[in-house]
């Protein structure tokens, strides 16, 4: 059964879209990532223009992150205070990222910068997470207890001034690294067109020592707010939000996110981190593969958006 | 010549012009000298189940002054060109640098047709000399594609790799169609051509141009318009996004939250 998308201006199979929504929603609910870094390329592959794909995926991400965040909220695994501080840094970073985007585009090599950023970022984070995850799994098999974090063992950057107590996350750290992390994620998110959840979750776990489930819940809250702002921005500035496309993705996505969130609850935290690490690494390798392999056609044609 | 007579002639000429204009403006039909055309549909309406549509063009070549009405009628050649609304495109070429395939070169195609179908009863190259064909833009390879070259706009030689790549990519998308046996003569003077409007065809006014060659000379030409438009729900959504962006954005955003909330309630287990 096909359906015509009024803004994307092409017909697509409803069941293909629903299946994509369920699959990406499952991953997003399980790991607390927005899933934009998976969904946007899939839509572009279907023939949706990148501008419409990015804008419409934000509606899908808003719906599944709200649905996921509610589940974590009921279990008391969302840190509102931490979310608010992260949001402040994230919005400032987004603004800086949008400006950098324009500057880079004027030099004409934006695509390359984005691809290299993906490879470096995903490769590094993915490798770190996989190595740590394997270590944790092996430790558990052997029955060795993980080293307990003591207050004195905090790295230096967490002991900077402006300390704040985040009760829900059981941490007492300086605000400076929290804002820096969210600024960097907002910056990269605007530059690379991603929500940044898959960077935020590991950053919260490894750098700020927030418990894994609270990291996921708080990241979902942050994704919800960012995506809400993104929908309005895309709708007003570019008129590229396809409500029909968004609705189909959302229905599949929210259903998938429910199952994903439940699967995430039953998995051990170590396994969850290892799986997310493998996923991030796989996407990084895929981007690297695309850049290294000889493309089927050396020429590509895109619609020039600047001259209507 | 008296003033009254001159005025009468002027009125007569005006009336003729109006009649011709009325005939040309009549949707779905065109009549230019001796060429009568008709489309199976003058308006392609896009609804939620739209996946593309085939449009049939009928044409009749009437015996004109240049061809004798009696005796064996000369063989006619027909080229049908359908052009969608113009768009600008950027074509890019990748090259391997430091192990990575990156865009090294690009060209801008200015005001190129977003949709192009060229149908003929045989290879257009056999219909007339190369100069005439290029001038009349008859044949798939003869359509003008303006490229930005420095500060200038010009079409390039057909062998230009960017031009060929552009045509190849658009053909792969199903938006450029070439069919050298797409025009079928039902009778010596009556022909029929079918062209596809694909599901992802751009919205707008399409121009259908028919050129008839008789003995290697262009003898007839006529043009028709075809509208591709969204209707009903599709038009309402697109219109709302265009005319009330703030309202549309907030509806989408709160709609997304409502869907997320519903899903959470439906699947709530604890």
């Amino acid at each position: 059964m096909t359906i015509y998308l009024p803004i994307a201006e092409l017909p697509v199979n409803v069941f293909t879209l629903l299946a994509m929504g369920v699959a990406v929603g499952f991953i997003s609910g399980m790991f607390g990532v927005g899933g934009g870094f998976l969904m946007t390329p899939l839509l572009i592959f279907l023939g949706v223009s990148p501008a419409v794909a990015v804008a419409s995926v934000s509606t899908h991400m808003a719906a599944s992150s709200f649905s996921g965040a509610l589940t974590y909220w009921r279990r008391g695994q969302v840190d509102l205070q931490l979310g608010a501080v992260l949001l402040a840094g994230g919005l400032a970073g987004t603004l800086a990222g949008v400006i950098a985007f324009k500057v880079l585009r004027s030099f004409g090599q934006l695509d390359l910068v984005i691809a290299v950023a993906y490879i470096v970022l995903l490769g590094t984070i993915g490798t770190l997470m996989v190595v740590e995850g394997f270590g944790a799994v092996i430790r558990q098999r052997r029955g060795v207890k993980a080293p307990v974090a003591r207050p004195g063992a905090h790295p230096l950057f967490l002991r900077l001034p402006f300390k704040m107590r985040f009760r829900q996350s059981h941490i007492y750290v300086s605000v400076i690294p929290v804002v820096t992390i969210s600024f960097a994620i907002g910056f990269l998110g605007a530059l690379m067109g991603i929500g940044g959840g898959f960077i935020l979750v590991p950053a919260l776990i490894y750098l700020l020592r927030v418990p894994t489930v609270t990291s996921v819940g708080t990241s979902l809250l942050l994704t919800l707010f960012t995506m809400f702002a993104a929908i309005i921005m895309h709708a007003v500035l570019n008129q590229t939000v396809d409500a029909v496309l968004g609705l189909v993705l959302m229905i599949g996505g929210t259903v998938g996110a429910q199952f994903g969130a439940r699967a995430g609850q039953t998995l051990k935290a170590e396994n969850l981190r290892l799986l997310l690490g493998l996923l991030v690494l796989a996407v990084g390798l895929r981007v690297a593969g695309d850049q290294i392999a000889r493309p089927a056609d050396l020429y590509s044609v895109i619609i020039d958006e600047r001259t209507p | 010549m008296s003033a009254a007579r001159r005025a009468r002639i002027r009125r007569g000429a005006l009336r003729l012009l109006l009649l011709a204009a009325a005939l040309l403006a009549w949707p779905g039909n065109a009549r230019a000298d001796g060429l009568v055309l008709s489309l199976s549909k003058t308006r392609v309406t896009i609804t939620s189940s739209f996946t593309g549509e085939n449009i049939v063009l009928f044409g009749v070549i009437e015996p004109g002054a240049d061809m004798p009405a009696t005796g064996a009628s000369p063989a006619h050649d027909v080229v049908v060109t359908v052009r969608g609304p113009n768009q600008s495109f950027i074509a890019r070429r990748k090259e391997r640098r430091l192990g990575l395939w990156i865009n090294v070169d690009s060209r801008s195609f200015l005001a190129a047709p977003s949709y192009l179908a060229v149908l003929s009863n045989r290879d257009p190259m056999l219909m007339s000399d190369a100069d005439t064909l290029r001038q009349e833009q008859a044949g798939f390879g003869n359509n003008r594609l303006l490229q930005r070259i420095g500060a200038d706009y010009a079409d390039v030689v057909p062998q230009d790799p960017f031009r060929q790549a552009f045509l190849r990519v658009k053909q792969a998308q199903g938006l450029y169609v070439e069919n050298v046996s797409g025009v079928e003569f039902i009778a010596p003077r009556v022909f029929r051509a079918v062209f596809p409007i694909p599901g992802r065809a751009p919205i707008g006014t399409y121009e259908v141009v028919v050129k008839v060659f008789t003995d290697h000379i262009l003898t007839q030409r006529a043009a028709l318009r075809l509208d591709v438009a969204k209707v009903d729900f599709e038009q309402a959504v697109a219109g709302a996004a265009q005319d009330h962006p703030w309202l549309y954005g907030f509806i989408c955003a709160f709609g997304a939250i409502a869907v997320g909330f519903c899903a959470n309630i439906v699947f709530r287990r604890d």
Side-chain angles (χ1 to χ4, degrees), chain A residues 303, chain B residues 82 84 87 89 113-117 140 167 169-178 196-202 206:
Chain A
I303 294 172
Chain B
V82 186
Q87 265 176 345
F89 299 92
S114 52
Y115 171 88
L116 176 70
F140 191 68
L167 294 177
V169 171
K170 296 293 280 180
Q171 273 181 303
Q173 291 173 345
L175 291 171
Y176 276 28
V177 180
E178 180 187 23
I197 298 290
R200 57 190 298 179
Y206 287 52

Side-chain angles (χ1 to χ4, degrees), chain A residues 22-285:
Chain A
V22 171
V24 175
F26 185 86
I27 290 166
S28 107
M30 190 153 151
F31 301 116
V33 299
F37 73 110
L38 295 170
M39 187 58 99
T40 310
L42 282 175
L43 287 181
I44 294 171
F45 180 74
L46 277 188
V48 179
S49 81
V52 175
V54 168
S56 306
V57 163
S58 5
T59 64
H60 155 71
M61 296 210 294
S64 43
S65 57
F66 183 72
S67 162
L70 263 185
T71 306
Y72 283 87
W73 172 258
R74 283 205 205 92
R75 295 162 200 259
Q77 290 158 346
V78 177
D79 191 330
L80 274 186
Q81 198 191 352
L82 181 63
V85 176
L86 287 171
L87 188 64
L91 288 179
T94 306
L95 188 66
V98 169
I99 294 165
F101 188 89
K102 281 195 168 165
V103 172
L104 279 172
R105 190 156 66 175
S106 66
F107 285 109
Q109 284 301 351
L110 185 65
D111 291 352
L112 181 68
V113 172
I114 289 175
V116 171
Y118 257 103
I119 296 167
V120 171
L121 200 68
L122 299 186
T124 315
I125 293 174
T127 309
L128 285 176
M129 289 181 74
V130 168
V131 167
E132 195 277 341
F134 266 122
V137 170
I138 289 168
R139 265 203 304 277
Q140 197 155 41
R141 285 268 163 82
R142 289 186 183 152
V144 182
K145 286 223 173 94
V148 182
R150 289 179 303 276
H154 267 21
L156 194 64
F157 65 86
L158 295 181
R159 287 186 271 151
L160 287 166
F162 307 113
K163 281 192 142 185
M164 230 174 147
R165 189 172 295 283
F166 298 100
R167 292 182 193 284
Q168 199 82 59
S169 308
H170 310 294
I171 52 167
Y172 179 57
V173 294
S174 161
V175 178
I176 294 171
V178 180
V179 172
T180 309
I181 287 169
S182 56
F183 181 90
I185 286 164
F187 182 84
L188 289 169
L191 195 62
M192 294 159 65
I194 51 178
F198 70 100
I199 315 171
L200 182 62
V201 173
L204 291 182
I205 297 173
Y206 296 113
L207 299 179
L208 299 185
R209 311 278 172 85
V210 176
T212 303
V213 276
T214 312
S215 303
V216 175
T218 309
S219 162
L220 282 170
L221 182 75
L222 193 69
T223 309
L224 171 65
F225 278 102
T226 337
M227 288 305 126
F228 193 93
I231 295 170
I232 310 284
M233 231 157 60
H234 283 302
V236 172
L237 296 178
N238 311 319
Q239 281 106 43
T240 45
V241 181
D242 195 313
V244 176
L245 174 59
L247 188 68
V248 178
L249 289 180
M250 235 181 255
I251 291 169
T254 45
V255 171
Q258 286 304 316
F259 289 110
R262 216 161 284 161
Q265 301 275 352
T266 60
L267 271 178
K268 278 191 197 131
E270 293 82 11
N271 297 348
L272 195 64
R273 295 201 301 252
L274 178 61
L275 276 177
L276 180 56
L278 285 172
L279 179 72
V280 169
L281 195 60
V283 176
L285 286 176

Side-chain angles (χ1 to χ4, degrees), chain A residues 2-7 9-11 46-47 59-60 62-64 66-68 70-71 74-75 109 111-112 116 119 224 228 231-232 235-236 239 241-244 247 250-251 254-255 258-259 262 288 290-295 297-308, chain B residues 46-52 87-94 96 99-104 108 110 148 161-162 165-166 168-170 173 199-203 230 233-234 237-238 241-242 245-246 248-250 252-257 259-261 263-265 267-270:
Chain A
T2 58
I3 185 170
Y4 189 85
L5 305 176
I7 308 285
E9 299 189 341
L10 82 165
L46 277 188
T59 64
H60 155 71
S64 43
F66 183 72
S67 162
L70 263 185
T71 306
R74 283 205 205 92
R75 295 162 200 259
Q109 284 301 351
D111 291 352
L112 181 68
V116 171
I119 296 167
L224 171 65
F228 193 93
I231 295 170
I232 310 284
V236 172
Q239 281 106 43
V241 181
D242 195 313
V244 176
L247 188 68
M250 235 181 255
I251 291 169
T254 45
V255 171
Q258 286 304 316
F259 289 110
R262 216 161 284 161
D290 283 349
Q291 290 294 312
I292 291 163
R294 185 190 168 87
D297 194 337
L298 293 181
Y299 291 85
S300 58
V301 174
I302 57 159
I303 294 172
D304 191 348
E305 310 278 359
R306 290 165 302 170
T307 48
Chain B
I46 292 179
T47 56
S48 52
S49 59
F50 180 76
T51 57
Q87 265 176 345
S88 293
F89 299 92
I90 300 173
R92 294 209 172 101
R93 184 170 61 86
K94 282 189 162 64
R96 195 174 189 148
L100 300 178
W101 287 93
I102 60 171
N103 291 320
V104 290
S108 286
L110 229 90
R148 193 200 305 264
F162 272 99
F166 180 77
R168 186 170 67 235
V169 171
K170 296 293 280 180
Q173 291 173 345
R200 57 190 298 179
I203 309 300
K230 292 176 213 172
F233 177 70
E234 277 55 44
V237 172
Q242 206 70 44
W246 281 99
Y248 180 84
F250 273 103
C252 284
F254 282 109
I257 288 186
V259 170
F261 183 74
N264 193 278
I265 296 302
F267 288 93
R268 189 172 175 179
R269 219 192 260 162
D270 42 17

